[in-house]
Each structure stands twice: as structure tokens, then as C-alpha cells.
Amino acid sequence: MISQKARYALRALVALTRAGEGESLMISEIAAGQDIPKKFLEQILLELKRSGIVMSKRGKAGGYLLLKAPEEISFGEVLRIIDGPIAPLPCLSKIAYRRCIDCRSEDDCEIRHVFAKVTDATRAVLDQTTLADAIGEVDLLEKAS
């Protein structure tokens, strides 16, 4: 499961995507519109800013805006920034690999082989789905109903 922090991060990024290219939103606007606690959102946006996903502007037209195009921000990237590795086992992680302490042989580990399939499928969806894709899918569903 992803953390509540990651869900808030994704919802904030969706709000910034919907605001439009080059448009900024104040923290209070995002917090109110997405029902996210403001103090928690501040921490999340700072983390996303340090990672180069968003930037902040000061002044009257200030706030946060996307630093990258929505087509370039994948769900997988955001989840790794906020929650860390996506893999359910440390021996399957791309960014925090370590051998399982009770493992005799990764090649012969039945558990690893099953979870490798799960991890590969999960990564494929998360790394290939962008903010733009997610918004496009929701918009299509809304038009169909």
C-alpha cells in the first residue's frame, strides 16, 4: 500500500496539473481543494521541490507550479520520492537493493521469483503512467458518463 503522504503528493500534483502549464496555486488553494492538511502539504511540497518536480514563486501571483511537464512526471517517480522503494522485497529494489538476510540463493528463491513478477508488473504501470495520463483517463470516464 502507498502511504497517505504519497496519496496527498499525487493529489497535489494532479491539482497543479489541472491548473495548467505555468500556472501556480497557493498551498491553501491546494489544501482546500484536495482536502489535505496544510502543514502536511507544506512538507510534501518542499520534498517535491527538492526533487525537482515543483517550484515555488513568491509574490502576488506566487505559489507552487510544476517544474516538469505532466507528461514527464510518472507515478513511480513520485512514489519513490515520497515512499522510497516500490519493491516488496529488498532484493528486488532498484534504488535500495540489499540481499534478504535469510536468503541462501536469489536464483533459487521461490518467493523472490513470484514477487519479481508482481514488482515488474507494478513498476510497468507506475513508471509508464504520468500525471497527464491519469488526468486524461479520468476526463474520458467523466465524458462517458
Side-chain angles (χ1 to χ4, degrees), residues 10 13-14 69-80 86 121-138:
L10 290 166
L13 291 171
V14 164
E71 298 81 16
E72 297 173 3
I73 303 170
S74 74
F75 273 55
E77 178 182 13
V78 175
L79 289 177
R80 285 183 188 94
I86 292 172
T122 301
R123 277 189 192 129
V125 172
L126 294 174
D127 290 339
Q128 294 171 17
T129 304
T130 66
L131 294 175
D133 295 330
I135 287 173
E137 289 174 17
V138 170

Side-chain angles (χ1 to χ4, degrees), residues 39-121:
K39 285 288 183 193
F40 198 24
L41 181 58
E42 288 173 1
Q43 295 170 6
I44 293 167
L45 289 172
L46 283 174
E47 202 167 333
L48 293 171
K49 182 179 175 181
R50 282 192 296 271
S51 298
I53 303 290
V54 299
M55 65 177 278
S56 60
K57 288 184 353 184
R58 293 181 179 248
K60 192 173 185 177
Y64 279 86
L65 66 151
L66 295 177
L67 192 56
K68 297 166 80 175
E71 298 81 16
E72 297 173 3
I73 303 170
S74 74
F75 273 55
E77 178 182 13
V78 175
L79 289 177
R80 285 183 188 94
I81 290 167
I82 301 298
D83 282 351
I86 292 172
L89 298 172
C91 63
L92 294 171
S93 177
K94 285 185 173 184
I95 63 172
Y97 170 86
R98 70 178 196 283
R99 189 178 181 103
C100 296
I101 56 171
D102 59 346
C103 185
R104 292 186 186 147
S105 167
E106 288 182 359
D107 292 335
D108 297 330
C109 179
E110 298 83 2
I111 296 168
R112 184 177 199 274
H113 288 287
V114 171
F115 279 96
K117 293 176 190 174
V118 171
T119 303
D120 290 344

Side-chain angles (χ1 to χ4, degrees), residues 7-48:
R7 289 172 49 151
Y8 286 159
L10 290 166
R11 288 188 5 217
L13 291 171
V14 164
L16 291 171
T17 299
R18 288 197 178 280
E21 187 178 341
E23 295 297 319
S24 63
L25 292 175
M26 304 282 281
I27 289 177
S28 56
E29 292 176 289
I30 300 169
Q34 297 296 317
D35 198 26
I36 302 171
K38 189 177 170 188
K39 285 288 183 193
F40 198 24
L41 181 58
E42 288 173 1
Q43 295 170 6
I44 293 167
L45 289 172
L46 283 174
E47 202 167 333
L48 293 171

